[in-house]
Amino acid sequence: MEENIIFCVTHCDDPEPEVIDTLLKASVPCVKNEQDRPVYFCFNNSDIPVRSDNKIKVGSSIVLQKQWEKSMENMEKLFTFLPNQSTKSLILTQEVLKERRALQIILEGLIPKVQEQTLKSHELEKIKIILKEHEADVERNKHFEYEEKVTKKRRIPTDETSVNCFECVSTCHHPCNIPFSKLVYLSEVFYWNAECRVCGHGQNTHFCERYKWETYVETETKTYQELKNKYESASAEKLSVQTICERLSAEFQTSEREALKLIETAKKCLQRLQEIALKPELLTTTDYITRLINDEALNKKPGYIERIKSLEKLKQQII
């Protein structure tokens, strides 16, 4: 598409309009001439100067005639130039727009999941460190307390329709133009095989509703006994502090892998979006993690410090 983009500039009397430098600085994709400058055609649409009595000023007709001739000359150049350019199918353009929208949906849905996993990774490691540092106290006191930041979800009423998944209790697409659950399969959040682009579940677990799920972070005070019960009920055996720390490490590694998987998927979506925008950029996973860190530092949503630490650690592992 880049070779089909040219510029028609109005109201310009200079040899080269100032906007050309702006286009170059912005790296706007377009056809370039032999001097590697954007191809453009000028059309002067100056207003006709009039007097207070609404009569055209003397001499204006000569100026207007010259402007008209210059514009016609550029018009002829434009229509001489156009036939030499290859045509592009609008059907292809429409497909690209659909793909872009689908990628944007995936990206919007992945960001909260990345935030949740990175916070979880940080908190798991923090709990493990606390238990190791206070192992003796923990063994003596089953009510040993510690604080943990937990990502929770709440249901928010909306004026627009959302596609919500009851399997993972999350909003996969908002807003959505599909008003009824019976037609949810028509939503652009699904692949052709009826699998959700965001969560991976089938369309039968999704519903169109007038609310969306929103994540928020809450600090909870928990006891060692609660943590111990959680892992013992899963393993059906008594566990020591050391064994629980090992289980925390295993869960932490799983959480990190999931976070990296989500980040990699989001990175690929962003890369493809840049290609569609005719601004291809070699974006590495570390580059994308850096973007996430910058966004967290800018938005400062609850839990952002912990998420940044977790992202920094993931970044170091990749490097």
Side-chain angles (χ1 to χ4, degrees):
M1 190 62 74
E2 180 176 345
E3 64 272 15
N4 287 71
I5 299 176
I6 59 173
F7 302 99
C8 294
V9 188
T10 61
H11 203 92
C12 54
D13 299 310
D14 297 328
E16 182 178 89
E18 293 181 5
V19 71
I20 299 302
D21 284 330
T22 304
L23 293 169
L24 283 169
K25 288 178 183 177
S27 300
V28 176
C30 62
V31 181
K32 301 286 182 65
N33 59 23
E34 294 81 3
Q35 289 76 41
D36 201 32
R37 308 282 290 178
V39 171
Y40 66 93
F41 300 91
C42 293
F43 302 93
N44 200 323
N45 63 343
S46 301
D47 294 331
I48 299 174
V50 296
R51 300 187 320 206
S52 57
D53 57 3
N54 290 330
K55 292 184 179 180
I56 298 175
K57 290 182 179 180
V58 177
S60 295
S61 59
I62 298 174
V63 175
L64 291 173
Q65 180 65 30
K66 288 183 178 179
Q67 290 178 352
W68 174 264
E69 291 172 357
K70 187 65 176 177
S71 293
M72 287 302 296
E73 181 184 333
N74 276 290
M75 185 69 74
E76 289 176 4
K77 289 180 180 178
L78 172 62
F79 283 101
T80 301
F81 175 84
L82 288 177
N84 297 321
Q85 304 306 111
S86 59
T87 58
K88 295 290 183 181
S89 169
L90 291 179
I91 294 176
L92 178 61
T93 304
Q94 188 179 25
E95 290 302 316
V96 168
L97 290 173
K98 285 182 180 178
E99 182 186 7
R100 183 176 69 179
R101 180 59 187 148
L103 289 167
Q104 288 171 337
I105 289 171
I106 297 172
L107 206 53
E108 289 166 6
L110 286 176
I111 296 302
K113 294 180 183 296
V114 171
Q115 292 174 336
E116 182 177 353
Q117 283 299 329
T118 50
L119 179 62
K120 181 180 178 181
S121 297
H122 178 273
E123 293 302 292
L124 285 170
E125 187 175 35
K126 184 187 76 175
I127 295 167
K128 184 185 73 173
I129 292 171
I130 291 173
L131 293 183
K132 282 189 174 181
E133 288 179 350
H134 301 85
E135 186 172 352
D137 296 332
V138 171
E139 291 286 9
R140 288 194 303 269
N141 179 16
K142 64 180 180 180
H143 297 296
F144 177 84
E145 293 183 343
Y146 61 90
E147 287 189 344
E148 179 183 359
K149 283 188 171 68
V150 182
T151 301
K152 294 188 173 183
K153 297 177 182 179
R154 56 190 168 205
R155 202 166 75 165
I156 307 295
T158 62
D159 295 329
E160 298 168 303
T161 303
S162 300
V163 176
N164 297 324
C165 177
F166 76 79
E167 185 76 22
C168 50
V169 192
S170 63
T171 296
C172 296
H173 181 30
H174 176 86
C176 181
N177 295 326
I178 307 301
F180 308 113
S181 292
K182 288 184 178 180
L183 301 175
V184 71
Y185 63 91
L186 296 174
S187 174
E188 52 196 348
V189 76
F190 296 108
Y191 289 112
W192 62 270
N193 63 352
E195 181 182 287
C196 178
R197 299 176 189 271
V198 176
C199 71
H201 293 125
Q203 68 180 43
N204 59 327
T205 67
H206 291 75
F207 295 90
C208 295
E209 299 168 310
R210 288 279 179 164
Y211 67 83
K212 66 177 181 178
W213 289 100
E214 180 183 82
T215 59
Y216 66 100
V217 176
E218 192 173 271
T219 302
E220 293 184 347
T221 299
K222 296 186 177 182
T223 66
Y224 167 69
Q225 188 61 42
E226 291 172 338
L227 182 67
K228 191 169 184 286
N229 291 341
K230 170 188 169 183
Y231 286 109
E232 285 183 346
S233 61
S235 61
E237 59 178 318
K238 295 291 182 181
L239 302 175
S240 64
V241 174
Q242 185 176 356
T243 306
I244 289 175
C245 286
E246 291 172 359
R247 299 291 169 89
L248 282 167
S249 293
E251 191 175 350
F252 165 74
Q253 290 170 4
T254 301
S255 181
E256 272 201 333
R257 284 195 298 270
E258 182 62 27
L260 277 173
K261 181 181 175 182
L262 291 168
I263 288 170
E264 185 67 22
T265 303
K267 181 205 74 173
K268 289 178 180 177
C269 288
L270 188 58
Q271 273 185 327
R272 179 58 185 149
L273 282 170
Q274 289 169 336
E275 290 173 7
I276 290 172
L278 303 180
K279 290 186 178 181
E281 179 183 345
L282 183 60
L283 187 71
T284 64
T285 303
T286 52
D287 291 334
Y288 186 68
I289 292 176
T290 301
R291 289 193 180 196
L292 291 175
I293 291 170
N294 293 337
D295 287 343
E296 289 285 4
L298 181 66
N299 297 323
K300 290 184 170 58
K301 292 182 179 179
Y304 79 96
I305 294 175
E306 290 79 7
R307 289 193 293 270
I308 287 176
K309 288 179 180 178
S310 183
L311 287 167
E312 289 283 9
K313 187 171 181 181
L314 286 173
K315 186 176 175 181
Q316 289 302 317
Q317 288 180 9
I318 296 170
I319 295 173

